[in-house]
Amino acid sequence: MRECLEVSPGLRLRRWVPADAGAVLAAFAEPVMSRQSAEPVVTLPAARRWLAARMEQWDAGSGFAFAVVDGADVVLGHVAVGAVERRHGTGWVSYWTTAAARGRGVASGGCRAVAAWAFEDAGLFRLELGHRVDNPASCAVARAAGFAVEGVQRRKLEYDGVRYDVELHARLATDPEVPPGPPQPPGHLRRHCG
């Protein structure tokens, strides 16, 4: 399976590495990121544990996490396919971006690329993702990446004593590709990057 994908000029996905601990810590320093990890990532050791968990999941085949980086290898965000269930060929897509990368197509480009990778390299058939209904930016990312709305999961998540509805999206391997520009042939992601 490829560990590095070119998304577009100046934007690629690569497997997380231990040297990314500082970038992870900086990303999680933003208050909005507190809900993106089961354990608070507020120290360098916590950032290293977060990275180690991503690497362990990859090695076990249960989840595949990528750093989204620019041409200078600066971390702009994260996209992942987790909760991989081989029997049914399913996975759960998650993503986040740094504050500086928001609104630039980083998350939607990363989601499009990780979906294509999950279908081509990981052999999955169905990908799901969900977002709180009060998060229109995340909904825009899902739609731009070709994930169709399937419904609302009532009061699925609880944060600080408040329950939130979650809108469920899904994308199938048989769905048409949603390119950022002109249509591209299947397998359009570069096999190598560096």
Side-chain angles (χ1 to χ4, degrees):
M1 284 190 275
R2 292 172 290 166
E3 296 184 5
C4 186
L5 312 169
E6 178 115 3
V7 177
S8 61
L11 189 65
R12 65 188 170 95
L13 307 183
R14 65 159 170 80
R15 197 170 165 183
W16 286 102
V17 295
D20 292 324
V24 169
L25 181 60
F28 277 93
E30 299 174 50
V32 70
M33 291 291 290
S34 66
R35 297 176 179 170
Q36 296 296 325
S37 179
E39 173 193 357
V41 182
V42 294
T43 64
L44 204 50
R48 289 186 185 117
R49 286 191 298 276
W50 186 90
L51 286 166
R54 308 292 79 75
M55 293 177 219
E56 289 169 12
Q57 290 168 353
W58 188 296
D59 292 342
S62 62
F64 304 96
F66 292 90
V68 184
V69 298
D70 66 12
D73 204 42
V74 172
V75 172
L76 303 174
H78 161 85
V79 293
V81 178
V84 172
E85 208 290 325
R86 293 286 177 191
R87 179 171 184 243
H88 298 291
T90 61
W92 183 266
V93 174
S94 60
Y95 47 88
W96 53 257
T97 58
T98 62
R102 291 189 191 120
R104 297 177 19 203
V106 170
S108 58
C111 281
R112 275 192 299 274
V114 84
W117 177 90
F119 299 142
E120 294 171 17
D121 287 39
L124 300 181
F125 179 78
R126 177 183 168 87
L127 298 175
E128 299 176 347
L129 67 81
H131 62 83
R132 292 182 331 273
V133 295
D134 66 342
N135 188 346
S138 192
C139 186
V141 167
R143 288 176 180 264
F147 284 74
V149 175
E150 290 196 333
V152 173
Q153 297 171 302
R154 298 178 306 139
R155 297 189 177 192
K156 181 176 182 175
L157 302 177
E158 180 181 352
Y159 297 110
D160 302 321
V162 178
R163 297 214 64 95
Y164 295 88
D165 290 351
V166 171
E167 186 169 74
L168 179 66
H169 295 248
R171 183 173 169 91
L172 307 179
T174 53
D175 287 346
E177 180 66 24
V178 180
Q184 299 177 19
H188 69 276
L189 296 175
R190 285 182 45 190
R191 295 291 168 187
H192 306 285
C193 56

